[in-house]
Amino acid sequence: MDLRFRDAEPSAEERAAVDAVLGPPPSGWEGGARTEEDLRFASGGHEARDRRDLLLPALHAVNDRIGWISQGALDYVCRRLTVPPAEAYGVATFYSLFSLKPRPTRVLHVCTDLACRARGAEAVRRGVAEALGPPGASWRPSPCLGLCERAPAALALEAGEVPKAAVYGPMAPDREAAGRPGPGAADDAPAGPPGVDLTERPEPPAEHAVPQAGRDGLVLLRRVGRVDPASLDDYRAEGGYAALRRAFALGPAGVVREVLDSGLVGRGGAAFPTGRKWEAAAGRPDHPHYLVCNADESEPGTFKDRVIMEGDPYALVEAMTIAGYATGCHRGYLYIRGEYPRAVRRMSHAIAAARSRGLLGDDVMGQGYAFDIELRRGAGAYICGEETAIFNSIEGYRGEPRSKPPFPVEKGLFGKPTVVNNVETLVNVPPILLAGAGAYAATGTAGSTGPKLFCVSGAVARPGVYEVPFGATLRDLLGLAGGTTGTLRAVLLGGAAGAFVRPGELDVPLTFEGTRAIGATLGSGVVLALDESVDLAGILLRIAGFFRDESCGQCVPCRVGTVRQEEALHRLSLRPAPGDAAGDLALLREVGQAMRDASICGLGQTAWNAVESAIDRLGVFSPREGSPA
Amino acid sequence: MSAVPLQPPRRLIEMTVDGQEVRVPEGATVLDACAAAGKDIPTLCHGDTLTPKNACRVCVVEVEGSRTLAPACSRRAEPGMVVGTATERARHSRKVVLELLASSTDLSTTPRAAEWIGEYGARPDRFGPEAATVAQPPKVDNDLYVRDYAKCILCYKCVDACGEQWQNTFAIAVAGRGFDAVISTEHDAPLTDSACVYCGNCVEVCPTGALSFKSEFDMRAAGEWDEPRQTQTTTICSYCGVGCNLTLHVQDNRIVKVSSPHDNPVTRGNLCIKGRFGYQHVQNVGPSDG
């Protein structure tokens, strides 16, 4: 590799930001001051290139400090890591939280996605546009921020020596009760337009998203609201680290056996048996093995993993340690989406605290097992939650999914056997070890064991994360959330990649097999209630827009198909439809079928699911539905 | 002539393609098996000298027991595999993929595109006149080759040829995301400011003509490009001692393009700037005799 750089120089600030992550440059070859000495040796080869995985953290460092990534900064990062500038440019332009053009240090991300939309995000968007001008540098519409219980919500990210984040929500448009910013109330926030509350307030504690917090009988959410999320002592006092002790007593194979017997399946959406994944990875002869915890929770309407990480961070640290122990990993990567600054803060604190107390490191709990966790931040890409795209993202490449086979347990992160699990899946493991596989499997149904978290949002009285055993009905769950507000029109199960359920189907048991029987899916546990006031065609357009924005662009069915799907929906949503409505519906079906059959990964394969279910099950765009009310 | 390198004997595996038993060596792809069965599967991002990215999805086939269709160019053949190349699902996906490509990209210089569109009954115009396209002006920033990204299907072959699979220059990569993704140098700089070494190995592998010799681009613009009138002569490059094979494409007694045989065991279709573009002295084209 013969790198060629441009003449752009980084500013002192940019250089400092990068050096803070990578350390000072060891020689002129890596961008330091050039000396006589440098001319007498060359630096290159694998040694110079094997830090490629620090590309994303280095880009984050610049973006966090300056607010955008200049040519000089990108060049400097490339010199430091021996990465070709064209590739680094390709990586930086892949992520929506990075900018390669100058922009203000503070950017407001206004959620316009499904859950916020069901609670008036369109009015907020208009209000913000009135106050701050058209979207562009200082604010932008954003895909789901995972703040659905506070919908409509927004997130401000501010670059600086100490990057800051502020969360707004609910921004309650046209709701007098929400209060308007008083005179001088918000010095550093832009003045709020009428009806849109842009006052910066302290973020409510994580348990505000858990209406059940503190109740008895909870398993996964047991500690949320009961413990101080910063305190390791609190965690241990509430039964923390008993499961890891039990794991050491069982031995790795024993842990895998328990997880297999518990019937635990992945909670990220694919519902693959966790024990089988662990068994397959643990048995691979090539080493090292890696553990990746997928906390890139970006499915619109999903916020359960955020609540766990913010409310009970040590539970995830312990669960990852157990998973690593069972599968022969000595290093775990925790990949948290970039839109979760508080979760990142709390998890890094928890990891550091666990490390200082010997619960991570060379000798975990004095048992001679070495394990450590490295936290990586996403930068705004839904696709990085795909189990192989997350590897590419961590490795410093564009977050494009890989072809399977080979599967992650064979060739995953850095080409090594890798276990990749969702946050919720992992935090199910300590309860399994403590209660025993049999007791755990007694909860729920035969096909879906254990407790399940649901993210209830939209037209309900108390949106939030709810824990119920598998098998509870959708009606039970909506009841827990205080019932629906307004007349229920439909419930979106599983998020943008999910399916709509009719009001007459509320007795569906919330299990993998129960939802499958009615042609729906549990997905990541999204339960978005939509009342009659919501414009369904608008929701479908937003779903289509979401997939168009988030497609990585690698394969043709998804890259072009998501665009064609959005175009057809746009035509259909105009009344009277300008074209041939039946033709457009047929077109949607044909493109949808090809996306489902021929896309590389789950994004393209599911991009048509919700739209299909809305057309088939809710009759959206049928002639009767179309007549204006 | 070049010797055919011997390979260690490989075990044969048996599988079924469209009901027909075929045997292919271990490690072969489903596409190899389809070829052995005499099936003509369309491919775009597959190249005989590269490991495909399997991004175009035009070669998908139905593999029994698989939830989704499989890209024939990348899926390894397995013993007992049952493959359907012309099932309704496979044909449907190929048709739609061709429609999606042809409606968004200029396939006018893609060999066989028109034939496949006819064969599969694809109707690219069904998405309407407003359908988004990747249309953009060609990038003409050097005298040797042109990048016309309105014809680019993002097959990644040029990126792979420039980067880790052949040239190790890494002058280009995919930038942006989704429908806005493009092949680009850093900051979309002109090639002359990039790491490009003008080996032209990207041009060699481009399946759509998005990358072409400046000579071909200019002749096409002038309406003078006439492939049937061209002759191809394979000779040996005289610049250095490696002995790369050159195939000279000649029209009206002038060299209009240089390619290299892909089956050459030394170069596999790759050349350097001298072999690829350094032919002017042969026909003594200079400012004086323009």
Side-chain angles (χ1 to χ4, degrees):
Chain A
M1 187 186 304
D2 186 17
L3 300 190
R4 173 169 167 163
F5 297 101
R6 340 199 82 222
D7 292 333
E9 282 292 320
S11 71
E13 236 185 338
E14 290 165 340
R15 194 181 281 269
V18 175
D19 289 351
V21 178
L22 305 178
S27 76
W29 290 99
E30 288 94 354
R34 201 161 253 244
T35 62
E36 264 302 276
E37 192 82 335
D38 290 332
L39 302 175
R40 315 227 180 281
F41 79 102
S43 152
H46 290 289
E47 205 187 327
R49 292 196 299 266
D50 69 359
R51 295 201 302 165
R52 171 79 184 236
D53 64 298
L54 293 175
L55 178 57
L56 191 54
L59 293 175
H60 262 305
V62 176
N63 200 64
D64 281 351
R65 175 76 70 94
I66 316 292
W68 65 287
I69 301 164
S70 69
Q71 295 198 6
L74 191 73
D75 237 35
Y76 184 62
V77 169
C78 290
R79 274 185 203 273
R80 293 299 319 273
L81 296 173
T82 316
V83 174
E87 284 204 352
Y89 179 77
V91 171
T93 52
F94 187 82
Y95 296 100
S96 67
L97 292 183
F98 293 152
S99 172
L100 285 106
K101 294 200 182 79
R103 63 173 175 184
T105 51
R106 184 188 167 92
V107 179
L108 183 68
H109 300 263
V110 179
C111 180
T112 53
D113 224 318
L114 305 176
C116 285
R117 214 185 156 94
R119 285 189 159 235
E122 279 306 292
V124 170
R125 180 219 280 259
R126 282 195 299 275
V128 173
E130 215 174 282
L132 304 180
S138 68
W139 79 276
R140 45 193 290 187
S142 164
C144 182
L145 294 168
L147 298 167
C148 317
E149 85 279 7
R150 276 170 266 171
L155 168 73
L157 295 174
E158 187 174 344
E161 196 127 5
V162 182
K164 283 187 273 189
V167 165
Y168 302 90
M171 295 174 74
D174 307 313
R175 284 184 197 174
E176 293 295 325
R180 291 180 181 174
D187 288 338
D188 48 352
V196 175
D197 186 359
L198 281 175
T199 322
E200 210 171 291
R201 296 195 177 84
E203 197 176 349
E207 58 266 27
H208 268 226
V210 185
Q212 293 168 308
R215 280 197 213 170
D216 292 332
L218 295 178
V219 178
L220 307 175
L221 299 175
R222 187 162 65 90
R223 279 178 294 259
V224 176
R226 279 196 184 174
V227 298
D228 171 1
S231 164
L232 182 51
D233 292 327
D234 262 24
Y235 178 68
R236 299 195 79 154
E238 285 283 333
Y241 279 101
L244 181 58
R245 205 169 287 284
R246 172 95 184 114
F248 284 130
L250 287 168
V255 176
V256 173
R257 174 61 43 203
E258 285 289 298
V259 174
L260 267 173
D261 291 348
S262 74
L264 175 66
V265 302
R267 305 290 199 240
F272 188 83
T274 307
R276 272 177 48 207
K277 194 185 274 185
W278 287 18
E279 195 175 36
R284 298 292 301 186
D286 40 341
H287 281 272
H289 295 180
Y290 290 108
L291 172 73
V292 173
C293 174
N294 186 345
D296 191 52
E297 167 178 75
S298 312
E299 185 68 46
T302 316
F303 50 103
K304 59 190 173 66
D305 296 345
R306 171 178 64 80
V307 169
I308 291 171
M309 290 188 286
E310 289 181 353
D312 195 9
Y314 292 100
L316 182 57
V317 175
E318 183 185 1
M320 283 183 70
T321 313
I322 296 170
Y325 175 66
T327 54
C329 306
H330 296 293
R331 176 163 287 270
Y333 287 85
L334 171 60
Y335 187 98
I336 304 181
R337 70 181 298 208
E339 292 87 343
Y340 281 179
R342 183 160 77 170
V344 168
R345 224 167 41 236
R346 294 209 169 149
M347 286 310 307
S348 44
H349 174 83
I351 291 167
R355 199 178 284 138
S356 71
R357 302 272 285 269
L359 297 167
L360 287 176
D362 292 338
D363 186 13
V364 175
M365 271 183 158
Q367 299 283 328
Y369 167 61
F371 184 73
D372 213 331
I373 298 175
E374 199 167 324
L375 194 153
R376 291 298 173 90
R377 245 186 324 149
Y382 169 69
I383 189 59
C384 289
E386 201 274 344
E387 62 174 0
T388 56
I390 203 170
F391 303 151
N392 279 342
S393 183
I394 292 173
E395 289 178 24
Y397 293 88
R398 292 163 55 80
E400 291 168 352
R402 303 175 180 172
S403 286
K404 292 179 276 188
F407 292 95
V409 293
E410 306 160 59
K411 277 188 188 306
L413 187 63
F414 302 114
K416 297 296 179 186
T418 303
V419 174
V420 48
N421 282 129
N422 172 261
V423 172
E424 186 190 349
T425 313
L426 285 173
V427 296
N428 268 280
V429 172
I432 290 172
L433 296 190
L434 290 177
Y440 177 90
T443 310
T445 64
S448 308
T449 59
K452 172 81 189 99
L453 299 182
F454 288 97
C455 313
V456 185
S457 62
V460 292
R462 289 191 297 276
V465 176
Y466 289 86
E467 177 181 325
V468 293
F470 271 114
T473 64
L474 184 50
R475 191 183 303 281
D476 298 339
L477 184 62
L478 293 175
L480 266 180
T484 51
T485 55
T487 315
L488 190 66
R489 172 75 176 90
V491 178
L492 179 61
L493 274 190
F500 289 96
V501 173
R502 289 182 290 250
E505 293 171 318
L506 294 187
D507 289 316
V508 57
L510 294 172
T511 57
F512 294 109
E513 59 279 12
T515 47
R516 203 177 302 132
I518 64 160
T521 169
L522 281 189
S524 56
V526 174
V527 175
L528 172 61
L530 300 169
D531 64 19
E532 293 281 3
S533 72
V534 170
D535 163 31
L536 270 179
I539 292 277
L540 294 189
L541 260 179
R542 173 56 212 156
I543 290 175
F546 175 80
F547 283 115
R548 182 212 55 207
D549 287 345
E550 299 297 337
S551 167
C552 77
Q554 191 178 199
C555 69
V556 174
C558 176
R559 181 179 76 231
V560 190
T562 53
V563 173
R564 297 291 178 250
Q565 171 169 278
E566 193 198 19
E567 288 169 351
L569 283 171
H570 186 72
R571 284 194 296 271
L572 284 165
S573 65
L574 298 175
R575 291 290 167 181
D580 162 21
D584 274 331
L585 285 174
L587 189 150
L588 277 173
R589 268 179 221 289
E590 286 199 20
V591 171
Q593 187 61 41
M595 287 199 285
R596 184 173 291 161
D597 279 344
S599 296
I600 292 179
C601 79
L603 188 151
Q605 288 162 12
T606 58
W608 146 248
N609 284 5
V611 179
E612 180 186 35
S613 82
I615 292 170
D616 287 349
R617 302 163 62 83
L618 303 182
V620 182
F621 304 128
S622 74
R624 197 169 44 81
E625 163 83 15
S627 54
Chain B
M1 271 315 285
S2 56
V4 177
L6 281 177
Q7 291 186 332
R10 286 193 287 179
R11 208 158 57 93
L12 289 178
I13 53 179
E14 290 181 20
M15 52 186 289
T16 315
V17 175
D18 292 344
Q20 188 183 333
E21 292 280 330
V22 289
R23 301 173 80 193
V24 288
E26 205 172 26
T29 63
V30 171
L31 188 66
D32 297 331
C34 293
K39 305 292 171 192
D40 178 27
I41 312 278
T43 59
L44 285 169
C45 71
H46 170 263
D48 50 357
T49 61
L50 293 163
T51 303
K53 188 85 174 170
N54 65 81
C56 77
R57 317 304 277 185
V58 78
C59 70
V60 285
V61 294
E62 195 158 352
V63 175
E64 214 171 88
S66 174
R67 183 173 50 85
T68 55
L69 301 175
C73 69
S74 303
R75 178 62 60 86
R76 298 267 155 233
E78 290 163 28
M81 219 176 202
V82 179
V83 173
T85 67
T87 63
E88 204 193 322
R89 271 176 83 197
R91 287 189 64 91
H92 172 81
S93 278
R94 268 183 234 153
K95 180 193 84 147
V96 174
V97 164
L98 287 168
E99 287 175 339
L100 294 174
L101 275 179
S103 65
S104 57
T105 318
D106 172 5
L107 298 183
S108 60
T109 52
T110 306
R112 299 195 67 190
E115 175 197 332
W116 292 328
I117 285 171
E119 181 186 339
Y120 288 94
R123 293 190 297 116
D125 55 345
R126 65 194 297 215
F127 301 111
E130 306 284 300
T133 69
V134 297
Q136 56 188 291
K139 290 182 191 295
V140 188
D141 52 17
N142 66 86
D143 294 336
L144 301 181
Y145 71 100
V146 175
R147 297 176 292 154
D148 185 358
Y149 289 133
K151 292 179 175 173
C152 175
I153 59 164
L154 278 180
C155 68
Y156 291 66
K157 279 160 93 172
C158 55
V159 175
D160 288 341
C162 182
E164 61 175 12
Q165 290 197 31
W166 288 123
Q167 192 63 31
N168 263 293
T169 289
F170 297 94
I172 47 172
V174 181
R177 192 166 79 189
F179 195 71
D180 300 326
V182 284
I183 308 291
S184 175
T185 59
E186 63 273 20
H187 310 287
D188 198 22
L191 279 181
T192 44
D193 289 347
S194 77
C196 179
V197 296
Y198 306 95
C199 61
N201 292 334
C202 54
V203 182
E204 181 77 45
V205 296
C206 180
T208 65
L211 302 176
S212 65
F213 274 61
K214 177 84 166 27
S215 48
E216 174 177 347
F217 180 81
D218 289 343
M219 288 174 74
R220 278 186 190 275
E224 292 165 2
W225 185 259
D226 190 359
E227 231 154 292
R229 260 168 60 210
Q230 293 170 9
T231 59
Q232 297 185 12
T233 307
T234 299
T235 178
I236 293 178
C237 179
S238 55
Y239 275 105
C240 76
V242 173
C244 301
N245 282 193
L246 305 179
T247 300
L248 306 177
H249 299 240
V250 176
Q251 181 175 331
D252 299 334
N253 214 26
R254 294 172 73 87
I255 299 170
V256 292
K257 177 166 119 174
V258 178
S259 62
S260 179
H262 289 193
D263 57 358
N264 183 295
V266 176
T267 60
R268 302 266 175 212
N270 294 303
L271 295 172
C272 73
I273 182 173
K274 289 177 273 186
R276 180 85 58 190
F277 293 109
Y279 54 80
Q280 282 80 357
H281 66 286
V282 177
Q283 45 211 35
N284 201 23
V285 175
S288 52
D289 57 12

